[in-house]
Amino acid sequence: MKAHVYVTLKSTVLDPQGQTIGNALRKNQYHGVTDVRQGKYFVLTLQDSLDAADAAAEVERIARDILTNPVIEEFTYRLED
Amino acid sequence: MKAHVYVTLKSTVLDPQGQTIGNALRKNQYHGVTDVRQGKYFVLTLQDSLDAADAAAEVERIARDILTNPVIEEFTYRLED
């Protein structure tokens, strides 16, 4: 089973890296984009012995305790068989 | 409309950053995870004037030309109203 974890800055936190990418896009004639936010993306491969509930609990603990800085970031995740 | 773009290393490319995270997880007693791959995640806000086909074309061009290094990375994306 795989878990896809998406970590993003909270919407109230400035994202200068995303702004820089957005400015670069506009300078390169990509005018369809009004805003860019950058985040992190993790693909965790889980042991086959875990059932869906255990996997969700383990992924949530990992995302909350290790992959995310709770002061400025938040996460979502998705499990995939 | 928003576009979620996920950039990952090709599966044939080593990911030392992901391996380091995986090792740290095991050292911290998270034994449910056998492998970690790290990628990048972008949320692009698109102009409302774009229809779905134009948006998909614009996002594909941006992901291919700007956000991804085609030698070692690949991307997927998802549009959201």
Side-chain angles (χ1 to χ4, degrees):
Chain A
M1 193 186 292
K2 293 197 174 204
H4 300 257
V5 181
Y6 313 103
V7 176
T8 51
L9 289 168
K10 290 181 182 173
S11 60
T12 51
V13 176
L14 278 179
D15 179 4
Q17 193 172 0
Q19 283 174 1
T20 302
I21 296 167
N23 292 339
L25 288 176
R26 280 182 287 278
K27 215 184 267 178
N28 284 282
Q29 313 302 325
Y30 296 97
H31 294 297
V33 175
T34 57
D35 190 42
V36 178
R37 305 278 292 177
Q38 172 154 23
K40 287 177 285 186
Y41 171 45
F42 302 91
V43 182
L44 310 179
T45 305
L46 302 168
Q47 279 183 355
D48 291 334
S49 57
L50 292 178
D51 65 22
D54 287 347
E58 177 89 342
V59 169
E60 261 181 58
R61 278 198 305 145
I62 289 171
R64 198 181 49 235
D65 297 345
I66 308 279
L67 302 179
T68 305
N69 174 353
V71 179
I72 57 168
E73 293 173 330
E74 59 196 3
F75 69 90
T76 58
Y77 68 94
R78 179 171 68 79
L79 293 176
E80 178 194 356
D81 277 331
Chain B
M1 191 187 292
K2 292 197 176 203
H4 301 257
V5 181
Y6 313 103
V7 177
T8 50
L9 288 169
K10 291 180 181 174
S11 60
T12 50
V13 176
L14 279 180
D15 178 5
Q17 192 172 1
Q19 284 174 359
T20 302
I21 297 167
N23 292 340
L25 287 176
R26 280 183 287 278
K27 214 183 270 178
N28 284 283
Q29 312 303 323
Y30 297 96
H31 294 297
V33 174
T34 56
D35 188 43
V36 178
R37 305 279 293 178
Q38 172 154 24
K40 287 176 283 184
Y41 171 44
F42 303 91
V43 182
L44 310 179
T45 306
L46 302 167
Q47 280 185 352
D48 292 333
S49 58
L50 292 177
D51 63 23
D54 287 347
E58 177 89 342
V59 169
E60 262 182 56
R61 276 198 306 145
I62 289 170
R64 198 179 51 233
D65 297 345
I66 308 279
L67 301 179
T68 305
N69 174 352
V71 178
I72 56 169
E73 294 173 330
E74 58 196 3
F75 68 89
T76 57
Y77 69 94
R78 179 172 68 80
L79 293 176
E80 177 194 358
D81 276 330

